[in-house]
Amino acid sequence: MTGRFPTSGSRGLRATGLTWLVILLLAAWYLVVRPMVVEPAAGPLPSPAPSAESAADSAEPGLGQLTDQGNGLLRSTAGLLYAPGSQEGHRLKHVLRHDNDQPSRPGLHGVFDGDADDLLAVIDEAYLLVKAGGRQVKSRRERQRMVHDVDLRRRIGFVGGREGRRQGNPPATRVRLVLEDDRVITAFPF
Amino acid sequence: MYYVGTCRCCGQGLLGIRICCEDEIGLILCEECEAIWLHPTCPGSPLFPQQPDSACPRCNRPIWQPPAHWATQAEVDRLDWNEYVLSDWENGS
Ligand SMILES: [Zn+2]
């Protein structure tokens, strides 16, 4: 730091001026820049990416709400895209198959607890965990798609279908998300 | 829907015998995740239809729209895939 020990004469005056200039610059930096660095980001965050721990407690309010983007495209709060397609004609209808058990269906059939809103909120919550990364998520690539197994660390449904019933309909704590980019192919609990 | 097993890709889907638009072309299609194999023994990695229309990797036409359909018994006979069929599941439509 210059100008710490002022001397007499023009050299001393120049040093004093430089000192004040540095002090003024530091003060300006403190007033203008520091608040932006220190204070948490504010603003509209309808679906903030939570830490792995916080999202596991419960689905956050507002998750799973769908916005109509036209042409049958529905965008969820967390950013998932439900588009026309599948055997049911729309991915939303396809995923909603997992809102009810199909006890006579061969094999396993994951069933979400709650209603359709709860189902969509849990899927959104799982997607936020995928985006945040962490130990609750196990992902694998299958050509152009990703299969994410997300452990929500609480009951979110049960295992139904004929085989699930044979096993006593055990609780499901994980969601399997099959995605192509942000496009939902399917999602169900297991 | 005549199904031949459970999908090893998604773990829950039933593998149905699907006829895509080309006559007598049979596919094995997972009704849950749309994984596709070309033979009931499901060899190797599955194929996946191209989005957004779920275009069939064989004929490039939408796999969920007519003329594509779940195979009838006569079509299963013609494909000579009867030995692989586990059952017929009504709800699969
Ligand atoms: Zn599958």
Side-chain angles (χ1 to χ4, degrees):
Chain A
M1 192 76 67
T2 56
R4 209 170 152 200
F5 302 103
T7 55
S8 59
S10 62
R11 207 175 147 200
L13 283 172
R14 201 163 48 241
T16 305
L18 275 174
T19 302
W20 279 109
L21 185 62
V22 168
I23 290 170
L24 282 170
L25 286 172
L26 283 172
W29 174 85
Y30 184 85
L31 289 171
V32 175
V33 177
R34 194 170 179 277
M36 293 194 295
V37 174
V38 174
E39 289 177 8
L45 289 174
S47 56
S51 70
E53 287 72 24
S54 67
D57 295 334
S58 63
E60 294 182 23
L63 286 180
Q65 292 175 12
L66 300 176
T67 303
D68 190 344
Q69 298 194 311
N71 296 321
L73 302 176
L74 300 171
R75 180 74 67 181
S76 78
T77 312
L80 287 169
L81 186 67
Y82 295 86
S86 80
Q87 183 170 208
E88 291 73 21
H90 200 284
R91 298 290 170 187
L92 180 60
K93 286 177 72 178
H94 185 62
V95 167
L96 286 175
R97 290 200 314 176
H98 293 280
D99 204 23
N100 294 106
D101 195 6
Q102 298 179 359
S104 65
R105 177 192 161 88
L108 304 168
H109 179 70
V111 185
F112 286 99
D113 285 338
D115 59 16
D117 290 338
D118 298 320
L119 176 155
L120 292 171
V122 167
I123 293 173
D124 254 9
E125 181 186 347
Y127 185 51
L128 290 182
L129 287 167
V130 168
K131 291 203 287 188
R135 284 176 296 177
Q136 285 170 262
V137 182
K138 288 186 170 59
S139 303
R140 69 178 195 272
R141 174 169 288 281
E142 298 267 2
R143 298 187 193 271
Q144 69 267 40
R145 59 173 55 178
M146 294 296 294
V147 181
H148 305 286
D149 290 346
V150 185
D151 187 355
L152 296 183
R153 297 176 175 168
R154 68 174 192 276
R155 179 191 161 114
I156 47 130
F158 65 94
V159 182
R162 198 182 296 170
E163 179 60 21
R165 186 175 57 177
R166 196 189 64 76
Q167 297 172 3
N169 295 124
T173 58
R174 293 172 287 173
V175 175
R176 180 161 292 158
L177 280 179
V178 180
L179 306 177
E180 289 194 21
D181 297 322
D182 54 7
R183 183 182 292 265
V184 175
I185 302 299
T186 191
F188 54 81
F190 68 106
Chain B
M1 181 187 79
Y2 292 95
Y3 73 95
V4 301
T6 302
C7 177
R8 68 169 180 262
C9 193
C10 69
Q12 288 197 1
L14 296 177
L15 298 174
I17 299 178
R18 190 83 176 170
I19 305 294
C20 69
C21 63
E22 294 176 56
D23 284 346
E24 300 189 25
I25 297 276
L27 304 170
I28 300 302
L29 173 66
C30 173
E31 42 83 59
E32 182 70 60
C33 78
E34 301 179 355
I36 289 173
W37 287 267
L38 305 181
H39 190 271
T41 54
C42 301
S45 302
L47 303 168
F48 299 106
Q50 206 65 37
Q51 302 305 326
D53 299 323
S54 294
C56 172
R58 288 293 294 271
C59 66
N60 213 30
R61 304 269 289 276
I63 199 79
W64 294 118
Q65 290 172 27
H69 60 278
W70 294 121
T72 63
Q73 179 62 62
E75 286 165 330
V76 174
D77 290 342
R78 197 169 61 229
L79 288 162
D80 200 16
W81 283 357
N82 268 303
E83 63 179 301
Y84 304 105
V85 173
L86 297 180
S87 184
D88 179 13
W89 183 54
E90 294 289 330
N91 288 349
S93 73

